Amino acid sequence: MTEEWRAGEVIKLDRGYPLVRFDDGTTLRCEHATALVKGEDRRAVIGDRVEVSVPDSHDKGVIESIAPRTREFVRKDPTERALPQVLAANFERVIVAQPLSEVNLRRLERELVLAFETGAQVTVVLTKADLAEDEEATARLVERVQALAGPDTAVLVVSEQDPSSVEAVRALLEPGTTTVLIGRSGVGKSSLINMLVGSAMLEVGSVRETDGKGRHTTVSREIVTVPGAGRIVDMPGVRGLGLWDADNGIEAAFPDIAALAEQCRFRDCQHEKEPGCAVRAAVEAGELSPERLASYLALKQEMAAVKERREQARRMSKESVPPSKRGRKGAAARKRHR
Ligand code: GDP
Ligand code: ZN
C-alpha cells in the first residue's frame, strides 16, 4: 500500500471530520491518527497546520501531526472543571463583535480579556448600526465602547443597510493573515462575513442545531477568504467564555487599573481593604468607575478560582499515577511520528 504525506491547514470544523485544505487548494476530510488523540488527546482546531497521510485506498486522510501554533484562542472547557479548550489557532487578529444598540459591557470586557490574551491585534466591531436611534446615539455608544477598549483598539461600526460600512473592516484584513471573529450568537457575524465576501456564503440567522438543552447553536466553523483581503473565521456558538490563562489579558484589558495598582502601597495589593490603595483612591476621587473596578476584581477572582481548580486537578492526577509513569503518555504521544 502506498501512501502520500501532504501539508495542509484545517479550514473547517463541523460535526464531521476536520476538513483540510492542502497547499494546492484541494480539500480532504481527515481523521486524527490514534497516537495524537491517545493520552494527551491532541486534536487539530481551525487554523492548525497539519501533516496528513493520504492512503491511496482511503477517501479520508489521517492527520499525523499538528505544527506548533503561533497563537491560540483558549477558553476554559465549559464541560470540564480544569481543562482548557482551544477554539482557533494561528491567526493575526481578533475581532470582537457586539450589537451597537445592545452592547453588553460585561461581556465585552470578558471578550477583550480573551482577545488580548492571545497576543493578536484586537478590533471591536459594533454591528446593526441601522438600529441605533440617531447619529448622536451612535457616537455616544461608540465613545463608551472606545473608553472600555482603550485608545489602541479601533472601534468600527457596520450595518447591513450600508454595504460601504464594511470597507473599514476589509482594510484590516491584510492579505495572507487570518482574523478570528467572536461574539455571541445573533450579533450579526455571519452577516458581516457575507458583506465582506459579497455573497450569501454563510447562512444568516440560520437553522441551528440543538445542543441537547433545547437551545440552538450554529456548529460549523470555516475559514473564509475575503476577496482582496485576508481570511476570516466566524466562531459561532461560543456562549461561555470562561477564563483559562488570562492574567496578561486582564492587565491588557484594564491598563488604567494596572497603572494605578503600581502606586498602591503594597505590591500584592488586592484593592479591597488595604491601606494606601491607589485604585480605591481613584474610585473615591471619581476617576475610576466602581463598576469597572468590580469587573476587574471579578475577573481576577475567576482567574484565581480556575488556578486553584487546576492545581487541585494536578495534585489528584499526581496521586493516582506512580512517579515513574508521570508524563510518559504525553511524551510518547508527542514523539510518535517519523
Ligand atoms: P450571527 O449569529 O452572529 O452569525 O448573526 P447573523 O449574521 O446570523 O444575524 C442575526 C440576525 O441579525 C439576522 O436576522 C440578521 O438579518 C440580523 N442582522 C445582521 N446584521 C444586521 C444589521 O446590520 N442590521 C440589522 N437591522 N439586522 C442585522
Ligand atoms: Zn490597591
Side-chain angles (χ1 to χ4, degrees), residues 149-336:
D152 299 336
T153 302
V155 177
L156 305 176
V157 174
V158 301
S159 162
E160 242 180 359
Q161 308 298 317
D162 174 13
S164 69
S165 65
V166 299
E167 292 314 316
V169 180
R170 190 193 309 277
L172 291 174
L173 312 179
E174 269 173 61
T177 68
T178 302
T179 293
V180 167
L181 178 56
I182 65 166
R184 62 179 196 275
S185 184
V187 302
K189 297 186 300 299
S190 317
S191 307
L192 173 60
I193 293 182
N194 285 336
M195 282 192 286
L196 288 164
V197 172
S199 66
M201 286 248 348
L202 304 174
E203 262 184 274
V204 171
S206 53
V207 184
R208 289 150 204 255
E209 289 185 41
T210 35
D211 62 2
K213 293 183 184 125
R215 292 179 302 212
H216 293 266
T217 173
T218 320
V219 289
S220 175
R221 297 177 182 169
E222 182 169 9
I223 299 183
V224 173
T225 301
V226 176
R231 301 156 357 129
I232 190 162
V233 55
D234 176 9
M235 281 209 289
V238 180
R239 198 171 286 108
L241 284 177
L243 304 183
W244 181 250
D245 265 328
D247 284 324
N248 295 329
I250 293 174
E251 299 311 310
F254 294 86
D256 48 347
I257 296 181
L260 284 166
E262 281 176 24
Q263 320 287 323
C264 293
R265 184 176 309 161
F266 300 107
R267 263 196 57 195
D268 60 349
C269 184
Q270 304 294 302
H271 322 308
E272 270 155 14
K273 292 185 183 99
E274 294 90 339
C277 173
V279 175
R280 296 206 78 85
V283 172
E284 271 146 41
E287 287 154 12
L288 175 66
S289 92
E291 293 82 19
R292 185 160 169 83
L293 176 57
S295 296
Y296 173 85
L297 293 176
L299 290 162
K300 291 290 258 194
Q301 176 55 40
E302 179 177 332
M303 225 14 255
V306 168
K307 278 188 195 157
E308 173 59 26
R309 260 183 256 133
R310 285 161 66 171
E311 184 55 29
Q312 270 173 16
R314 203 179 59 80
R315 278 198 304 268
M316 272 168 59
S317 70
K318 263 195 181 168
E319 278 159 21
S320 60
V321 181
S324 62
K325 296 270 168 65
R326 274 177 213 162
R328 268 194 50 202
K329 261 187 179 172
R334 271 195 298 277
K335 245 182 264 164
R336 188 239 168 227

Side-chain angles (χ1 to χ4, degrees), residues 32-110:
H32 286 88
T34 317
L36 273 182
V37 292
K38 212 168 59 185
E40 258 186 294
D41 195 10
R42 299 181 62 230
R43 281 171 203 274
V45 301
I46 198 101
D48 262 324
R49 298 285 315 175
V50 293
E51 251 184 325
V52 170
S53 65
V54 187
D56 58 9
S57 54
H58 288 263
D59 55 354
K60 247 189 345 258
V62 178
I63 296 173
E64 301 283 353
S65 72
I66 303 168
R69 294 165 179 157
T70 60
R71 199 157 273 144
E72 293 180 327
F73 191 98
V74 190
R75 68 168 169 181
K76 191 180 88 60
D77 188 323
T79 63
E80 299 281 345
R81 277 167 62 85
L83 282 181
Q85 184 184 45
V86 180
L87 295 176
N90 306 328
F91 48 89
E92 282 72 29
R93 183 180 297 275
V94 177
I95 291 181
V96 176
Q98 286 255 357
L100 173 70
S101 46
E102 284 170 33
V103 175
N104 177 334
L105 294 174
R106 295 293 87 78
R107 171 143 182 144
L108 178 58
E109 280 162 353
R110 177 177 294 273

Side-chain angles (χ1 to χ4, degrees), residues 99-103 105 108 126 131-149 155 157:
L100 173 70
S101 46
E102 284 170 33
V103 175
L105 294 174
L108 178 58
L126 300 174
L131 299 182
E133 274 168 43
D134 51 31
E135 274 178 30
E136 209 177 296
T138 301
R140 229 176 16 248
L141 287 159
V142 170
E143 197 180 323
R144 276 183 79 183
V145 170
Q146 187 73 68
L148 197 70
V155 177
V157 174

